Amino acid sequence: MLLPLGCFKQDPPPKNPFRKPIHYAVGESPSHIISADLNQDGWLDLIVANTQSNTISILTGKNDGSFPDTKTMKVGSRPRWVVSGDFNGDKQTDLGVLLNDGDSLQILLNLGGGLMKKGALYKVDRSPYSAAVEDFNLDGHLDIAIVSRFDHLLVLMGDGTGQFKTGLRGDPGAIPTTVITGHFNKDPFIDLAIANNGLSSSDVALYLGKGDGDFEKGSRLRSGKNPLFLVAEDFNKDGHPDILSINGLGDSMTLFFSEKEGTYSKGRDIGAEGGPVSAIVHDLNGDSILDIAVVNTRSNDLSIIIGKPDGGFGYPHLNLYTGKAPFFVLKADFNLDGRIDLVVVNNDNESISVLLGKR
Protein backbone atom coordinates (compact mmCIF):
# COMPACT_ATOMS: atom_id res chain seq x y z
CA MET A 1 0.00 0.00 0.00
CA LEU A 2 1.22 3.50 -0.82
CA LEU A 3 2.03 5.73 2.12
CA PRO A 4 -0.15 8.86 2.14
CA LEU A 5 1.16 12.05 0.55
CA GLY A 6 3.29 14.01 3.03
CA CYS A 7 3.60 11.11 5.47
CA PHE A 8 7.20 10.55 6.64
CA LYS A 9 6.53 9.10 10.06
CA GLN A 10 3.64 7.37 11.69
CA ASP A 11 1.09 9.63 13.37
CA PRO A 12 -1.26 8.90 16.27
CA PRO A 13 -4.39 7.09 15.06
CA PRO A 14 -7.24 9.50 14.37
CA LYS A 15 -10.18 9.61 16.74
CA ASN A 16 -13.45 8.18 15.54
CA PRO A 17 -15.75 11.13 14.65
CA PHE A 18 -18.84 8.90 14.35
CA ARG A 19 -21.19 6.94 16.53
CA LYS A 20 -21.68 3.19 16.16
CA PRO A 21 -23.22 2.33 12.76
CA ILE A 22 -26.97 1.75 12.57
CA HIS A 23 -27.92 -0.78 9.90
CA TYR A 24 -31.02 -0.82 7.70
CA ALA A 25 -32.10 -3.57 5.33
CA VAL A 26 -32.49 -2.73 1.63
CA GLY A 27 -32.65 -4.79 -1.56
CA GLU A 28 -30.18 -7.19 -3.12
CA SER A 29 -26.79 -5.81 -4.25
CA PRO A 30 -27.30 -2.14 -3.38
CA SER A 31 -24.94 -0.08 -5.54
CA HIS A 32 -25.71 3.62 -5.05
CA ILE A 33 -27.47 5.98 -2.65
CA ILE A 34 -28.57 9.61 -2.61
CA SER A 35 -30.40 11.77 -0.09
CA ALA A 36 -33.31 14.12 -0.79
CA ASP A 37 -36.36 15.41 1.06
CA LEU A 38 -38.96 13.57 -0.99
CA ASN A 39 -41.92 14.18 1.33
CA GLN A 40 -41.04 17.82 2.13
CA ASP A 41 -41.07 17.35 5.90
CA GLY A 42 -37.72 19.07 6.35
CA TRP A 43 -35.73 15.86 6.88
CA LEU A 44 -33.59 14.05 4.35
CA ASP A 45 -34.74 10.69 3.04
CA LEU A 46 -32.52 8.04 1.46
CA ILE A 47 -32.94 6.45 -1.97
CA VAL A 48 -30.98 3.27 -2.72
CA ALA A 49 -30.52 1.53 -6.09
CA ASN A 50 -30.74 -2.26 -5.58
CA THR A 51 -29.12 -3.74 -8.68
CA GLN A 52 -30.05 -7.41 -8.34
CA SER A 53 -33.56 -6.75 -6.97
CA ASN A 54 -34.49 -4.40 -9.84
CA THR A 55 -35.82 -1.99 -7.22
CA ILE A 56 -35.11 1.18 -5.33
CA SER A 57 -35.55 1.46 -1.57
CA ILE A 58 -36.86 4.75 -0.15
CA LEU A 59 -36.07 5.20 3.56
CA THR A 60 -37.99 8.02 5.24
CA GLY A 61 -35.85 10.18 7.51
CA LYS A 62 -36.80 11.43 10.96
CA ASN A 63 -35.49 14.33 13.04
CA ASP A 64 -33.17 12.12 15.08
CA GLY A 65 -31.28 10.84 12.03
CA SER A 66 -33.12 7.52 11.97
CA PHE A 67 -34.87 5.95 8.98
CA PRO A 68 -37.63 3.75 10.40
CA ASP A 69 -39.87 3.38 7.33
CA THR A 70 -38.82 1.77 4.05
CA LYS A 71 -40.74 1.57 0.79
CA THR A 72 -39.66 -0.56 -2.16
CA MET A 73 -40.43 0.30 -5.79
CA LYS A 74 -39.82 -1.78 -8.93
CA VAL A 75 -38.03 0.34 -11.50
CA GLY A 76 -36.57 -1.89 -14.23
CA SER A 77 -33.60 -4.08 -15.04
CA ARG A 78 -30.50 -3.66 -12.83
CA PRO A 79 -30.76 -0.11 -11.47
CA ARG A 80 -27.22 1.21 -11.03
CA TRP A 81 -27.39 4.93 -10.15
CA VAL A 82 -29.93 7.46 -8.88
CA VAL A 83 -30.14 11.23 -9.40
CA SER A 84 -32.65 13.76 -8.07
CA GLY A 85 -34.06 17.17 -8.94
CA ASP A 86 -37.29 19.00 -9.75
CA PHE A 87 -37.57 17.87 -13.35
CA ASN A 88 -41.14 19.06 -14.05
CA GLY A 89 -41.24 22.38 -12.19
CA ASP A 90 -43.79 21.47 -9.50
CA LYS A 91 -41.38 22.15 -6.59
CA GLN A 92 -41.26 18.45 -5.71
CA THR A 93 -38.08 16.38 -5.88
CA ASP A 94 -38.20 13.83 -8.69
CA LEU A 95 -35.81 10.96 -9.35
CA GLY A 96 -33.95 9.51 -12.31
CA VAL A 97 -32.72 5.89 -12.22
CA LEU A 98 -30.10 4.47 -14.57
CA LEU A 99 -31.03 0.93 -15.62
CA ASN A 100 -27.81 -0.87 -16.42
CA ASP A 101 -29.32 -3.82 -18.30
CA GLY A 102 -32.17 -1.81 -19.78
CA ASP A 103 -29.77 0.75 -21.32
CA SER A 104 -32.19 3.42 -20.19
CA LEU A 105 -33.03 6.22 -17.77
CA GLN A 106 -36.30 5.89 -15.87
CA ILE A 107 -37.78 9.17 -14.62
CA LEU A 108 -39.84 8.92 -11.41
CA LEU A 109 -42.12 11.88 -10.75
CA ASN A 110 -43.02 12.94 -7.22
CA LEU A 111 -46.78 13.17 -6.70
CA GLY A 112 -46.40 14.75 -3.26
CA GLY A 113 -45.68 13.32 0.14
CA GLY A 114 -42.88 11.24 -1.37
CA LEU A 115 -45.25 9.15 -3.49
CA MET A 116 -43.49 8.39 -6.79
CA LYS A 117 -44.85 7.32 -10.17
CA LYS A 118 -43.05 6.29 -13.32
CA GLY A 119 -42.60 9.03 -15.86
CA ALA A 120 -40.82 8.87 -19.21
CA LEU A 121 -38.31 6.13 -20.04
CA TYR A 122 -35.34 7.18 -22.19
CA LYS A 123 -33.08 4.84 -24.12
CA VAL A 124 -29.47 5.81 -23.52
CA ASP A 125 -26.14 4.26 -24.44
CA ARG A 126 -25.24 0.69 -23.53
CA SER A 127 -24.69 -0.09 -19.84
CA PRO A 128 -25.23 3.36 -18.22
CA TYR A 129 -23.22 3.64 -15.04
CA SER A 130 -23.20 7.14 -13.52
CA ALA A 131 -25.01 10.45 -13.94
CA ALA A 132 -24.93 14.07 -12.75
CA VAL A 133 -27.65 16.75 -12.75
CA GLU A 134 -27.16 20.47 -13.50
CA ASP A 135 -28.61 23.23 -15.67
CA PHE A 136 -26.02 23.08 -18.42
CA ASN A 137 -27.62 25.55 -20.86
CA LEU A 138 -28.81 28.10 -18.26
CA ASP A 139 -32.46 27.90 -19.28
CA GLY A 140 -33.68 27.29 -15.71
CA HIS A 141 -34.35 23.58 -16.31
CA LEU A 142 -32.29 20.67 -15.04
CA ASP A 143 -30.32 18.52 -17.47
CA ILE A 144 -28.65 15.13 -16.95
CA ALA A 145 -25.17 13.99 -18.03
CA ILE A 146 -24.77 10.20 -18.28
CA VAL A 147 -21.69 8.04 -18.82
CA SER A 148 -22.00 4.46 -20.02
CA ARG A 149 -19.48 1.65 -19.63
CA PHE A 150 -19.18 1.27 -23.39
CA ASP A 151 -17.28 4.54 -23.83
CA HIS A 152 -20.12 7.04 -24.15
CA LEU A 153 -21.12 10.39 -22.70
CA LEU A 154 -24.69 11.54 -23.27
CA VAL A 155 -26.28 14.80 -22.13
CA LEU A 156 -30.08 14.90 -21.88
CA MET A 157 -31.53 18.40 -21.96
CA GLY A 158 -34.57 19.01 -19.75
CA ASP A 159 -37.49 21.20 -20.82
CA GLY A 160 -38.95 21.72 -17.33
CA THR A 161 -41.96 19.43 -17.89
CA GLY A 162 -40.24 16.17 -16.94
CA GLN A 163 -39.25 15.55 -20.57
CA PHE A 164 -35.73 15.42 -22.01
CA LYS A 165 -34.21 15.54 -25.47
CA THR A 166 -30.83 14.30 -26.65
CA GLY A 167 -28.00 16.80 -26.48
CA LEU A 168 -24.26 16.24 -26.66
CA ARG A 169 -22.88 12.78 -27.38
CA GLY A 170 -19.20 12.07 -26.89
CA ASP A 171 -16.53 9.42 -26.34
CA PRO A 172 -14.73 10.43 -23.13
CA GLY A 173 -12.39 7.43 -22.95
CA ALA A 174 -12.32 3.71 -22.19
CA ILE A 175 -14.95 2.40 -19.76
CA PRO A 176 -16.08 5.62 -18.03
CA THR A 177 -17.34 4.98 -14.50
CA THR A 178 -18.18 8.35 -12.94
CA VAL A 179 -19.18 11.82 -14.11
CA ILE A 180 -19.18 14.85 -11.78
CA THR A 181 -19.81 18.55 -12.30
CA GLY A 182 -17.85 21.64 -11.27
CA HIS A 183 -16.20 24.87 -12.39
CA PHE A 184 -12.93 23.35 -13.53
CA ASN A 185 -11.69 26.15 -15.80
CA LYS A 186 -12.78 29.12 -13.66
CA ASP A 187 -15.41 30.48 -16.07
CA PRO A 188 -19.08 30.71 -14.93
CA PHE A 189 -20.21 27.65 -16.89
CA ILE A 190 -20.63 24.14 -15.50
CA ASP A 191 -17.99 21.63 -16.62
CA LEU A 192 -17.73 17.83 -16.41
CA ALA A 193 -15.01 15.53 -15.11
CA ILE A 194 -15.18 11.86 -16.11
CA ALA A 195 -13.21 8.92 -14.69
CA ASN A 196 -12.15 6.42 -17.36
CA ASN A 197 -11.60 2.99 -15.86
CA GLY A 198 -10.14 1.15 -18.86
CA LEU A 199 -6.46 0.20 -18.81
CA SER A 200 -6.01 2.04 -22.11
CA SER A 201 -7.19 5.24 -20.40
CA SER A 202 -6.86 5.26 -16.57
CA ASP A 203 -7.40 8.99 -16.63
CA VAL A 204 -9.79 11.81 -15.84
CA ALA A 205 -11.24 13.60 -18.87
CA LEU A 206 -12.43 17.19 -18.55
CA TYR A 207 -15.29 18.52 -20.67
CA LEU A 208 -15.54 22.30 -20.46
CA GLY A 209 -19.03 23.80 -20.61
CA LYS A 210 -19.91 26.60 -23.03
CA GLY A 211 -23.09 27.63 -21.20
CA ASP A 212 -25.41 26.51 -24.02
CA GLY A 213 -25.47 22.80 -23.21
CA ASP A 214 -22.46 22.09 -25.41
CA PHE A 215 -19.00 21.10 -24.15
CA GLU A 216 -15.50 21.05 -25.55
CA LYS A 217 -12.86 18.54 -24.63
CA GLY A 218 -10.36 19.82 -22.08
CA SER A 219 -7.25 18.25 -20.62
CA ARG A 220 -6.84 14.63 -19.58
CA LEU A 221 -5.39 13.93 -16.15
CA ARG A 222 -3.37 10.75 -15.72
CA SER A 223 -4.55 8.97 -12.58
CA GLY A 224 -3.64 5.72 -10.86
CA LYS A 225 -4.87 2.46 -12.32
CA ASN A 226 -8.56 2.06 -13.07
CA PRO A 227 -10.16 5.18 -11.56
CA LEU A 228 -13.66 4.42 -10.32
CA PHE A 229 -14.90 7.56 -8.59
CA LEU A 230 -14.22 11.30 -8.43
CA VAL A 231 -14.64 14.02 -5.82
CA ALA A 232 -14.16 17.76 -6.47
CA GLU A 233 -13.16 19.82 -3.41
CA ASP A 234 -10.83 22.76 -2.68
CA PHE A 235 -8.05 21.01 -0.76
CA ASN A 236 -5.50 23.85 -0.89
CA LYS A 237 -8.00 26.67 -0.22
CA ASP A 238 -7.23 28.68 -3.36
CA GLY A 239 -10.91 29.06 -4.23
CA HIS A 240 -10.84 26.50 -7.06
CA PRO A 241 -11.87 22.84 -6.98
CA ASP A 242 -9.20 20.17 -6.93
CA ILE A 243 -10.03 16.65 -8.12
CA LEU A 244 -9.57 13.43 -6.16
CA SER A 245 -9.64 10.15 -8.10
CA ILE A 246 -10.39 6.86 -6.31
CA ASN A 247 -8.47 4.12 -8.13
CA GLY A 248 -9.74 0.54 -8.31
CA LEU A 249 -6.32 -1.07 -8.78
CA GLY A 250 -3.21 -0.46 -6.73
CA ASP A 251 -5.11 0.58 -3.59
CA SER A 252 -4.56 4.28 -4.14
CA MET A 253 -6.13 7.66 -4.74
CA THR A 254 -4.77 10.46 -6.94
CA LEU A 255 -5.10 14.15 -6.06
CA PHE A 256 -4.91 16.82 -8.79
CA PHE A 257 -4.52 20.44 -7.69
CA SER A 258 -6.16 23.14 -9.79
CA GLU A 259 -3.71 25.50 -11.48
CA LYS A 260 -4.91 27.96 -14.16
CA GLU A 261 -7.27 28.07 -17.13
CA GLY A 262 -8.63 24.57 -16.60
CA THR A 263 -5.23 22.94 -16.08
CA TYR A 264 -4.26 20.70 -13.20
CA SER A 265 -1.04 19.57 -11.56
CA LYS A 266 0.44 16.17 -12.08
CA GLY A 267 -1.41 13.69 -9.91
CA ARG A 268 -0.08 13.02 -6.42
CA ASP A 269 -0.70 9.56 -4.98
CA ILE A 270 -2.37 8.89 -1.63
CA GLY A 271 -2.37 5.40 -0.14
CA ALA A 272 -5.62 3.57 0.54
CA GLU A 273 -6.69 0.25 2.00
CA GLY A 274 -7.93 -2.75 -0.01
CA GLY A 275 -10.10 -1.93 -3.01
CA PRO A 276 -11.18 1.72 -2.59
CA VAL A 277 -14.34 2.46 -4.56
CA SER A 278 -15.97 5.66 -3.28
CA ALA A 279 -15.11 8.58 -0.99
CA ILE A 280 -16.32 11.81 0.57
CA VAL A 281 -14.21 14.81 1.54
CA HIS A 282 -14.94 16.89 4.65
CA ASP A 283 -13.26 18.38 7.71
CA LEU A 284 -13.99 15.44 10.00
CA ASN A 285 -11.91 16.43 13.04
CA GLY A 286 -12.65 20.17 13.22
CA ASP A 287 -9.18 21.48 12.39
CA SER A 288 -10.30 23.34 9.21
CA ILE A 289 -8.30 20.93 7.01
CA LEU A 290 -10.11 18.60 4.63
CA ASP A 291 -10.06 14.88 5.43
CA ILE A 292 -11.11 11.86 3.38
CA ALA A 293 -13.49 9.02 4.22
CA VAL A 294 -13.20 6.18 1.70
CA VAL A 295 -14.94 2.82 1.50
CA ASN A 296 -12.86 -0.21 0.56
CA THR A 297 -14.77 -3.10 -0.94
CA ARG A 298 -12.00 -5.69 -0.64
CA SER A 299 -10.93 -4.93 2.93
CA ASN A 300 -14.56 -4.45 4.01
CA ASP A 301 -14.06 -1.15 5.81
CA LEU A 302 -14.45 2.61 5.85
CA SER A 303 -11.15 4.47 6.23
CA ILE A 304 -10.84 7.88 7.86
CA ILE A 305 -7.75 9.65 6.47
CA ILE A 306 -6.85 12.88 8.24
CA GLY A 307 -5.50 15.84 6.27
CA LYS A 308 -2.35 17.63 7.46
CA PRO A 309 -1.33 21.31 7.26
CA ASP A 310 1.47 20.52 4.78
CA GLY A 311 -1.03 19.15 2.26
CA GLY A 312 -0.29 15.54 3.15
CA PHE A 313 -2.41 12.96 4.94
CA GLY A 314 -1.90 11.15 8.21
CA TYR A 315 -1.10 7.48 8.71
CA PRO A 316 -2.28 5.10 10.06
CA HIS A 317 -5.86 5.38 8.92
CA LEU A 318 -8.82 4.72 11.19
CA ASN A 319 -10.60 1.72 9.66
CA LEU A 320 -14.23 1.09 10.63
CA TYR A 321 -16.24 -2.00 9.71
CA THR A 322 -19.73 -1.19 8.41
CA GLY A 323 -20.69 -4.24 6.39
CA LYS A 324 -19.50 -6.64 3.72
CA ALA A 325 -18.24 -5.15 0.44
CA PRO A 326 -19.00 -1.47 1.11
CA PHE A 327 -19.62 0.07 -2.29
CA PHE A 328 -20.58 3.73 -1.86
CA VAL A 329 -20.43 6.42 0.82
CA LEU A 330 -22.58 9.55 1.10
CA LYS A 331 -22.31 12.54 3.44
CA ALA A 332 -25.11 14.74 4.83
CA ASP A 333 -26.37 16.16 8.14
CA PHE A 334 -29.33 13.88 8.68
CA ASN A 335 -30.31 15.09 12.17
CA LEU A 336 -29.44 18.78 11.60
CA ASP A 337 -27.10 18.95 14.58
CA GLY A 338 -24.36 20.70 12.61
CA ARG A 339 -22.14 17.62 12.38
CA ILE A 340 -21.63 15.64 9.22
CA ASP A 341 -23.06 12.11 9.06
CA LEU A 342 -22.25 9.28 6.68
CA VAL A 343 -24.21 6.46 5.11
CA VAL A 344 -22.48 3.46 3.54
CA VAL A 345 -23.97 1.03 1.02
CA ASN A 346 -22.98 -2.59 1.83
CA ASN A 347 -23.20 -4.43 -1.47
CA ASP A 348 -22.99 -7.99 -0.10
CA ASN A 349 -25.09 -7.46 3.05
CA GLU A 350 -28.27 -6.07 1.47
CA SER A 351 -27.97 -3.19 3.89
CA ILE A 352 -26.89 0.38 4.46
CA SER A 353 -25.09 1.67 7.55
CA VAL A 354 -25.73 5.15 8.96
CA LEU A 355 -22.92 6.71 11.02
CA LEU A 356 -24.08 9.81 12.88
CA GLY A 357 -21.44 12.37 13.78
CA LYS A 358 -20.43 12.87 17.38
CA ARG A 359 -18.54 15.60 19.22
Side-chain angles (χ1 to χ4, degrees):
M1 186 190 76
L2 292 168
L3 282 179
L5 174 68
C7 176
F8 299 102
K9 64 179 181 178
Q10 190 156 300
D11 301 294
K15 295 181 180 179
N16 185 358
F18 300 104
R19 304 179 203 171
K20 184 178 179 180
I22 303 170
H23 308 290
Y24 298 92
V26 292
E28 188 176 358
S29 293
S31 60
H32 186 238
I33 188 168
I34 63 170
S35 61
D37 183 6
L38 294 182
N39 58 2
Q40 294 189 317
D41 64 354
W43 306 102
L44 289 173
D45 310 309
L46 298 174
I47 305 97
V48 183
N50 304 306
T51 300
Q52 293 290 352
S53 298
N54 299 327
T55 63
I56 61 169
S57 298
I58 299 175
L59 293 83
T60 303
K62 299 299 182 185
N63 60 2
D64 58 358
S66 67
F67 299 87
D69 301 317
T70 303
K71 297 177 182 177
T72 302
M73 182 176 182
K74 286 280 187 181
V75 290
S77 183
R78 294 182 66 83
R80 171 63 184 85
W81 196 271
V82 187
V83 293
S84 65
D86 181 5
F87 299 134
N88 60 356
D90 64 355
K91 303 188 186 308
Q92 304 273 356
T93 299
D94 309 307
L95 302 175
V97 183
L98 291 185
L99 303 175
N100 193 254
D101 272 5
D103 302 336
S104 57
L105 170 71
Q106 176 67 69
I107 299 297
L108 303 176
L109 298 176
N110 194 334
L111 299 179
L115 180 63
M116 313 300 294
K117 75 167 185 177
K118 289 184 178 180
L121 181 71
Y122 294 93
K123 292 300 285 186
V124 296
D125 296 303
R126 185 178 173 191
S127 196
Y129 207 74
S130 171
V133 172
E134 284 284 358
D135 179 8
F136 296 121
N137 60 353
L138 305 179
D139 66 352
H141 308 311
L142 292 176
D143 312 307
I144 305 176
I146 301 168
V147 291
S148 300
R149 294 279 285 172
F150 285 81
D151 307 351
H152 286 102
L153 164 67
L154 170 65
V155 179
L156 295 178
M157 309 305 297
D159 67 1
T161 70
Q163 301 291 316
F164 294 84
K165 64 180 181 180
T166 299
L168 172 77
R169 286 185 180 272
D171 180 356
I175 316 181
T177 50
T178 298
V179 56
I180 63 171
T181 62
H183 293 286
F184 300 125
N185 66 344
K186 305 180 177 66
D187 69 13
F189 308 127
I190 296 293
D191 309 311
L192 304 175
I194 298 169
N196 292 307
N197 181 251
L199 287 175
S200 62
S201 290
S202 284
D203 61 17
V204 178
L206 298 183
Y207 275 71
L208 304 178
K210 299 179 180 180
D212 59 359
D214 196 10
F215 296 82
E216 62 181 359
K217 288 187 177 181
S219 56
R220 301 181 82 92
L221 313 177
R222 188 70 181 176
S223 69
K225 292 182 180 179
N226 294 79
L228 292 172
F229 189 75
L230 302 175
V231 184
E233 291 284 355
D234 184 8
F235 282 90
N236 58 1
K237 299 182 181 179
D238 66 353
H240 305 294
D242 310 306
I243 298 175
L244 179 69
S245 169
I246 315 304
N247 306 315
L249 291 180
D251 298 341
S252 74
M253 298 176 283
T254 307
L255 180 57
F256 305 94
F257 287 106
S258 175
E259 293 184 334
K260 60 180 181 179
E261 301 301 326
T263 63
Y264 280 77
S265 67
K266 182 180 178 181
R268 306 169 76 176
D269 288 327
I270 304 169
E273 304 297 332
V277 289
S278 171
I280 64 94
V281 174
H282 194 80
D283 175 14
L284 298 174
N285 61 352
D287 63 358
S288 300
I289 300 171
L290 289 177
D291 312 307
I292 302 170
V294 55
V295 287
N296 309 293
T297 191
R298 197 172 68 249
S299 55
N300 292 316
D301 55 21
L302 165 75
S303 296
I304 306 298
I305 304 175
I306 297 301
K308 302 176 74 175
D310 63 0
F313 292 87
Y315 186 82
H317 308 156
L318 173 66
N319 299 317
L320 306 174
Y321 179 81
T322 60
K324 191 173 180 181
F327 207 73
F328 194 85
V329 58
L330 174 74
K331 70 176 182 179
D333 183 1
F334 296 119
N335 54 3
L336 299 184
D337 66 352
R339 295 186 290 272
I340 204 67
D341 310 311
L342 301 182
V343 57
V344 175
V345 170
N346 303 308
N347 190 257
D348 284 359
N349 281 145
E350 300 180 9
S351 71
I352 62 169
S353 300
V354 176
L355 293 85
L356 298 177
K358 65 181 181 182
R359 293 191 185 278

